[in-house]
Amino acid sequence: MSLNYIKNFYEGCLRPPTVIGQFHTLFFGSVRMFFLGVLGFAVYGNEALHFSCDPDRREINLYCYNQFRPITPQVFWALQLVTVLVPGAVFHLYAACKNIDQEEILERPIYTVFYIISVLLRIILEVIAFWLQSHLFGFQVHPLYKCDASALEKAFNVTKCMVPEHFEKTIFLSAMYTFTVITILLCVAEIFEILCRRLGYLNNQ
């Protein structure tokens, strides 16, 4: 019985009940994760090693880098992806435990409402992630970062630090913002598809 639960959960995650939901899964799972996993490591993998300040001393570089990056972008985006997956995963786990077929989700009002709630939660989480990303990383990476190192060095208050490959990071930031906007739009479109199909079921009845 547990194997059936796992099978139903796996199929539900891979093949949501809507066409747009299936496209969202393909886009989310393939493109976005590949982009983050491969290109994200290439762009941000050695950032801490090449982050240098004036004077170029290891303790100052580390102190200022921690100030420049309270959380590394790869970790933030990985947490974003995992968090956004949770509402859908919880719903499909519920559907698997109840032996609900994907076709039944849009036919029964109570299941439809639960599914719409999971989609709305995804939208909310994506919006929160967009807001946090804008506050943590901004929309552009500048080549110079002014670090307040007064707590570490009493001789000076502000030191200038060189940010490596700032142009590549700006492009990558823009791409991640774009991915977030696309997934939000797909979720909104999925809700409209659900409502249209529900109206079709009601008219047929």
Side-chain angles (χ1 to χ4, degrees), residues 9-31:
F9 173 71
Y10 178 75
E11 290 180 351
C13 290
L14 288 183
R15 293 188 293 109
T18 62
V19 175
I20 295 176
Q22 293 174 17
F23 181 77
H24 173 269
T25 301
L26 175 65
F27 175 79
F28 194 99
S30 302
V31 180

PDB file of all heavy atoms in Angstrom, residues 9-31:
ATOM      1  N   PHE A   9       1.972   9.792  -5.367  1.00  0.00           N
ATOM      2  CA  PHE A   9       2.600  11.075  -5.030  1.00  0.00           C
ATOM      3  C   PHE A   9       3.564  11.501  -6.129  1.00  0.00           C
ATOM      4  O   PHE A   9       3.577  12.661  -6.556  1.00  0.00           O
ATOM      5  CB  PHE A   9       3.333  10.943  -3.693  1.00  0.00           C
ATOM      6  CG  PHE A   9       4.148  12.140  -3.316  1.00  0.00           C
ATOM      7  CD1 PHE A   9       3.531  13.325  -2.932  1.00  0.00           C
ATOM      8  CD2 PHE A   9       5.529  12.098  -3.347  1.00  0.00           C
ATOM      9  CE1 PHE A   9       4.286  14.439  -2.580  1.00  0.00           C
ATOM     10  CE2 PHE A   9       6.286  13.194  -2.996  1.00  0.00           C
ATOM     11  CZ  PHE A   9       5.667  14.365  -2.621  1.00  0.00           C
ATOM     12  N   TYR A  10       4.359  10.553  -6.601  1.00  0.00           N
ATOM     13  CA  TYR A  10       5.336  10.849  -7.658  1.00  0.00           C
ATOM     14  C   TYR A  10       4.637  11.285  -8.937  1.00  0.00           C
ATOM     15  O   TYR A  10       5.019  12.284  -9.559  1.00  0.00           O
ATOM     16  CB  TYR A  10       6.184   9.601  -7.907  1.00  0.00           C
ATOM     17  CG  TYR A  10       7.201   9.741  -9.006  1.00  0.00           C
ATOM     18  CD1 TYR A  10       8.370  10.480  -8.823  1.00  0.00           C
ATOM     19  CD2 TYR A  10       6.997   9.132 -10.247  1.00  0.00           C
ATOM     20  CE1 TYR A  10       9.298  10.606  -9.833  1.00  0.00           C
ATOM     21  CE2 TYR A  10       7.924   9.251 -11.267  1.00  0.00           C
ATOM     22  CZ  TYR A  10       9.069   9.988 -11.054  1.00  0.00           C
ATOM     23  OH  TYR A  10       9.994  10.114 -12.070  1.00  0.00           O
ATOM     24  N   GLU A  11       3.583  10.564  -9.330  1.00  0.00           N
ATOM     25  CA  GLU A  11       2.856  10.906 -10.546  1.00  0.00           C
ATOM     26  C   GLU A  11       2.125  12.239 -10.403  1.00  0.00           C
ATOM     27  O   GLU A  11       2.037  13.016 -11.360  1.00  0.00           O
ATOM     28  CB  GLU A  11       1.858   9.800 -10.891  1.00  0.00           C
ATOM     29  CG  GLU A  11       2.532   8.507 -11.370  1.00  0.00           C
ATOM     30  CD  GLU A  11       1.516   7.429 -11.706  1.00  0.00           C
ATOM     31  OE1 GLU A  11       0.309   7.642 -11.407  1.00  0.00           O
ATOM     32  OE2 GLU A  11       1.924   6.397 -12.257  1.00  0.00           O
ATOM     33  N   GLY A  12       1.596  12.496  -9.208  1.00  0.00           N
ATOM     34  CA  GLY A  12       0.914  13.765  -8.983  1.00  0.00           C
ATOM     35  C   GLY A  12       1.855  14.953  -9.090  1.00  0.00           C
ATOM     36  O   GLY A  12       1.497  15.998  -9.637  1.00  0.00           O
ATOM     37  N   CYS A  13       3.070  14.803  -8.575  1.00  0.00           N
ATOM     38  CA  CYS A  13       4.056  15.891  -8.649  1.00  0.00           C
ATOM     39  C   CYS A  13       4.512  16.127 -10.083  1.00  0.00           C
ATOM     40  O   CYS A  13       4.758  17.268 -10.490  1.00  0.00           O
ATOM     41  CB  CYS A  13       5.253  15.576  -7.757  1.00  0.00           C
ATOM     42  SG  CYS A  13       4.891  15.643  -5.976  1.00  0.00           S
ATOM     43  N   LEU A  14       4.664  15.034 -10.845  1.00  0.00           N
ATOM     44  CA  LEU A  14       5.153  15.170 -12.211  1.00  0.00           C
ATOM     45  C   LEU A  14       4.045  15.563 -13.188  1.00  0.00           C
ATOM     46  O   LEU A  14       4.312  16.238 -14.179  1.00  0.00           O
ATOM     47  CB  LEU A  14       5.802  13.856 -12.673  1.00  0.00           C
ATOM     48  CG  LEU A  14       7.153  13.503 -12.053  1.00  0.00           C
ATOM     49  CD1 LEU A  14       7.688  12.220 -12.671  1.00  0.00           C
ATOM     50  CD2 LEU A  14       8.161  14.622 -12.237  1.00  0.00           C
ATOM     51  N   ARG A  15       2.820  15.114 -12.930  1.00  0.00           N
ATOM     52  CA  ARG A  15       1.712  15.370 -13.857  1.00  0.00           C
ATOM     53  C   ARG A  15       0.542  15.996 -13.112  1.00  0.00           C
ATOM     54  O   ARG A  15      -0.419  15.296 -12.765  1.00  0.00           O
ATOM     55  CB  ARG A  15       1.288  14.082 -14.557  1.00  0.00           C
ATOM     56  CG  ARG A  15       2.331  13.523 -15.493  1.00  0.00           C
ATOM     57  CD  ARG A  15       1.809  12.356 -16.320  1.00  0.00           C
ATOM     58  NE  ARG A  15       1.530  11.185 -15.495  1.00  0.00           N
ATOM     59  CZ  ARG A  15       0.314  10.741 -15.210  1.00  0.00           C
ATOM     60  NH1 ARG A  15      -0.750  11.393 -15.640  1.00  0.00           N
ATOM     61  NH2 ARG A  15       0.141   9.663 -14.474  1.00  0.00           N
ATOM     62  N   PRO A  16       0.619  17.298 -12.842  1.00  0.00           N
ATOM     63  CA  PRO A  16      -0.503  17.992 -12.193  1.00  0.00           C
ATOM     64  C   PRO A  16      -1.758  17.913 -13.065  1.00  0.00           C
ATOM     65  O   PRO A  16      -1.682  17.585 -14.250  1.00  0.00           O
ATOM     66  CB  PRO A  16       0.001  19.431 -12.071  1.00  0.00           C
ATOM     67  CG  PRO A  16       1.485  19.332 -12.161  1.00  0.00           C
ATOM     68  CD  PRO A  16       1.752  18.185 -13.076  1.00  0.00           C
ATOM     69  N   PRO A  17      -2.927  18.234 -12.501  1.00  0.00           N
ATOM     70  CA  PRO A  17      -4.182  18.073 -13.239  1.00  0.00           C
ATOM     71  C   PRO A  17      -4.419  19.092 -14.348  1.00  0.00           C
ATOM     72  O   PRO A  17      -5.358  18.957 -15.112  1.00  0.00           O
ATOM     73  CB  PRO A  17      -5.245  18.206 -12.146  1.00  0.00           C
ATOM     74  CG  PRO A  17      -4.602  19.050 -11.104  1.00  0.00           C
ATOM     75  CD  PRO A  17      -3.157  18.658 -11.118  1.00  0.00           C
ATOM     76  N   THR A  18      -3.606  20.125 -14.424  1.00  0.00           N
ATOM     77  CA  THR A  18      -3.803  21.155 -15.446  1.00  0.00           C
ATOM     78  C   THR A  18      -2.650  21.149 -16.441  1.00  0.00           C
ATOM     79  O   THR A  18      -1.525  20.745 -16.117  1.00  0.00           O
ATOM     80  CB  THR A  18      -3.890  22.555 -14.804  1.00  0.00           C
ATOM     81  OG1 THR A  18      -2.649  22.838 -14.131  1.00  0.00           O
ATOM     82  CG2 THR A  18      -5.017  22.627 -13.796  1.00  0.00           C
ATOM     83  N   VAL A  19      -2.928  21.625 -17.641  1.00  0.00           N
ATOM     84  CA  VAL A  19      -1.892  21.714 -18.683  1.00  0.00           C
ATOM     85  C   VAL A  19      -0.825  22.726 -18.279  1.00  0.00           C
ATOM     86  O   VAL A  19       0.381  22.480 -18.415  1.00  0.00           O
ATOM     87  CB  VAL A  19      -2.531  22.110 -20.032  1.00  0.00           C
ATOM     88  CG1 VAL A  19      -1.447  22.315 -21.095  1.00  0.00           C
ATOM     89  CG2 VAL A  19      -3.525  21.053 -20.473  1.00  0.00           C
ATOM     90  N   ILE A  20      -1.269  23.869 -17.781  1.00  0.00           N
ATOM     91  CA  ILE A  20      -0.318  24.904 -17.359  1.00  0.00           C
ATOM     92  C   ILE A  20       0.495  24.414 -16.163  1.00  0.00           C
ATOM     93  O   ILE A  20       1.676  24.718 -16.044  1.00  0.00           O
ATOM     94  CB  ILE A  20      -1.064  26.213 -17.037  1.00  0.00           C
ATOM     95  CG1 ILE A  20      -1.709  26.766 -18.307  1.00  0.00           C
ATOM     96  CG2 ILE A  20      -0.110  27.256 -16.444  1.00  0.00           C
ATOM     97  CD1 ILE A  20      -2.549  28.000 -18.098  1.00  0.00           C
ATOM     98  N   GLY A  21      -0.144  23.647 -15.277  1.00  0.00           N
ATOM     99  CA  GLY A  21       0.589  23.087 -14.140  1.00  0.00           C
ATOM    100  C   GLY A  21       1.687  22.139 -14.590  1.00  0.00           C
ATOM    101  O   GLY A  21       2.783  22.120 -14.020  1.00  0.00           O
ATOM    102  N   GLN A  22       1.420  21.350 -15.623  1.00  0.00           N
ATOM    103  CA  GLN A  22       2.442  20.450 -16.156  1.00  0.00           C
ATOM    104  C   GLN A  22       3.585  21.233 -16.795  1.00  0.00           C
ATOM    105  O   GLN A  22       4.749  20.882 -16.639  1.00  0.00           O
ATOM    106  CB  GLN A  22       1.807  19.497 -17.169  1.00  0.00           C
ATOM    107  CG  GLN A  22       0.827  18.522 -16.554  1.00  0.00           C
ATOM    108  CD  GLN A  22       0.112  17.689 -17.593  1.00  0.00           C
ATOM    109  OE1 GLN A  22       0.527  17.595 -18.732  1.00  0.00           O
ATOM    110  NE2 GLN A  22      -0.999  17.069 -17.192  1.00  0.00           N
ATOM    111  N   PHE A  23       3.232  22.313 -17.499  1.00  0.00           N
ATOM    112  CA  PHE A  23       4.272  23.168 -18.078  1.00  0.00           C
ATOM    113  C   PHE A  23       5.076  23.848 -16.976  1.00  0.00           C
ATOM    114  O   PHE A  23       6.298  23.990 -17.079  1.00  0.00           O
ATOM    115  CB  PHE A  23       3.647  24.220 -18.994  1.00  0.00           C
ATOM    116  CG  PHE A  23       4.662  25.129 -19.636  1.00  0.00           C
ATOM    117  CD1 PHE A  23       5.426  24.695 -20.712  1.00  0.00           C
ATOM    118  CD2 PHE A  23       4.852  26.420 -19.162  1.00  0.00           C
ATOM    119  CE1 PHE A  23       6.357  25.522 -21.291  1.00  0.00           C
ATOM    120  CE2 PHE A  23       5.789  27.250 -19.736  1.00  0.00           C
ATOM    121  CZ  PHE A  23       6.544  26.814 -20.811  1.00  0.00           C
ATOM    122  N   HIS A  24       4.388  24.262 -15.904  1.00  0.00           N
ATOM    123  CA  HIS A  24       5.073  24.875 -14.764  1.00  0.00           C
ATOM    124  C   HIS A  24       6.063  23.897 -14.141  1.00  0.00           C
ATOM    125  O   HIS A  24       7.186  24.262 -13.784  1.00  0.00           O
ATOM    126  CB  HIS A  24       4.049  25.326 -13.720  1.00  0.00           C
ATOM    127  CG  HIS A  24       4.662  25.823 -12.447  1.00  0.00           C
ATOM    128  ND1 HIS A  24       4.920  25.006 -11.376  1.00  0.00           N
ATOM    129  CD2 HIS A  24       5.085  27.063 -12.082  1.00  0.00           C
ATOM    130  CE1 HIS A  24       5.475  25.708 -10.408  1.00  0.00           C
ATOM    131  NE2 HIS A  24       5.575  26.960 -10.802  1.00  0.00           N
ATOM    132  N   THR A  25       5.661  22.622 -14.021  1.00  0.00           N
ATOM    133  CA  THR A  25       6.557  21.606 -13.464  1.00  0.00           C
ATOM    134  C   THR A  25       7.778  21.424 -14.350  1.00  0.00           C
ATOM    135  O   THR A  25       8.912  21.329 -13.861  1.00  0.00           O
ATOM    136  CB  THR A  25       5.810  20.268 -13.317  1.00  0.00           C
ATOM    137  OG1 THR A  25       4.690  20.450 -12.454  1.00  0.00           O
ATOM    138  CG2 THR A  25       6.734  19.202 -12.743  1.00  0.00           C
ATOM    139  N   LEU A  26       7.549  21.392 -15.675  1.00  0.00           N
ATOM    140  CA  LEU A  26       8.666  21.257 -16.614  1.00  0.00           C
ATOM    141  C   LEU A  26       9.587  22.457 -16.522  1.00  0.00           C
ATOM    142  O   LEU A  26      10.814  22.320 -16.440  1.00  0.00           O
ATOM    143  CB  LEU A  26       8.127  21.105 -18.036  1.00  0.00           C
ATOM    144  CG  LEU A  26       9.172  21.062 -19.159  1.00  0.00           C
ATOM    145  CD1 LEU A  26      10.030  19.806 -19.027  1.00  0.00           C
ATOM    146  CD2 LEU A  26       8.502  21.101 -20.521  1.00  0.00           C
ATOM    147  N   PHE A  27       8.996  23.652 -16.520  1.00  0.00           N
ATOM    148  CA  PHE A  27       9.794  24.880 -16.459  1.00  0.00           C
ATOM    149  C   PHE A  27      10.545  24.972 -15.143  1.00  0.00           C
ATOM    150  O   PHE A  27      11.734  25.265 -15.100  1.00  0.00           O
ATOM    151  CB  PHE A  27       8.878  26.097 -16.632  1.00  0.00           C
ATOM    152  CG  PHE A  27       9.583  27.424 -16.475  1.00  0.00           C
ATOM    153  CD1 PHE A  27      10.328  27.944 -17.508  1.00  0.00           C
ATOM    154  CD2 PHE A  27       9.500  28.136 -15.283  1.00  0.00           C
ATOM    155  CE1 PHE A  27      10.985  29.156 -17.367  1.00  0.00           C
ATOM    156  CE2 PHE A  27      10.150  29.342 -15.127  1.00  0.00           C
ATOM    157  CZ  PHE A  27      10.894  29.860 -16.179  1.00  0.00           C
ATOM    158  N   PHE A  28       9.805  24.708 -14.042  1.00  0.00           N
ATOM    159  CA  PHE A  28      10.382  24.823 -12.706  1.00  0.00           C
ATOM    160  C   PHE A  28      11.475  23.782 -12.497  1.00  0.00           C
ATOM    161  O   PHE A  28      12.571  24.090 -12.044  1.00  0.00           O
ATOM    162  CB  PHE A  28       9.275  24.643 -11.658  1.00  0.00           C
ATOM    163  CG  PHE A  28       9.663  25.067 -10.278  1.00  0.00           C
ATOM    164  CD1 PHE A  28       9.284  26.310  -9.788  1.00  0.00           C
ATOM    165  CD2 PHE A  28      10.395  24.239  -9.454  1.00  0.00           C
ATOM    166  CE1 PHE A  28       9.622  26.712  -8.513  1.00  0.00           C
ATOM    167  CE2 PHE A  28      10.745  24.624  -8.178  1.00  0.00           C
ATOM    168  CZ  PHE A  28      10.360  25.861  -7.709  1.00  0.00           C
ATOM    169  N   GLY A  29      11.149  22.524 -12.845  1.00  0.00           N
ATOM    170  CA  GLY A  29      12.072  21.440 -12.549  1.00  0.00           C
ATOM    171  C   GLY A  29      13.276  21.396 -13.457  1.00  0.00           C
ATOM    172  O   GLY A  29      14.398  21.172 -13.005  1.00  0.00           O
ATOM    173  N   SER A  30      13.061  21.651 -14.738  1.00  0.00           N
ATOM    174  CA  SER A  30      14.149  21.491 -15.692  1.00  0.00           C
ATOM    175  C   SER A  30      14.969  22.764 -15.854  1.00  0.00           C
ATOM    176  O   SER A  30      16.159  22.799 -15.545  1.00  0.00           O
ATOM    177  CB  SER A  30      13.591  21.045 -17.052  1.00  0.00           C
ATOM    178  OG  SER A  30      12.869  19.849 -16.915  1.00  0.00           O
ATOM    179  N   VAL A  31      14.313  23.810 -16.333  1.00  0.00           N
ATOM    180  CA  VAL A  31      15.033  25.027 -16.701  1.00  0.00           C
ATOM    181  C   VAL A  31      15.585  25.758 -15.482  1.00  0.00           C
ATOM    182  O   VAL A  31      16.777  26.061 -15.401  1.00  0.00           O
ATOM    183  CB  VAL A  31      14.110  25.966 -17.510  1.00  0.00           C
ATOM    184  CG1 VAL A  31      14.847  27.239 -17.887  1.00  0.00           C
ATOM    185  CG2 VAL A  31      13.599  25.257 -18.747  1.00  0.00           C
TER     186      VAL A  31
END
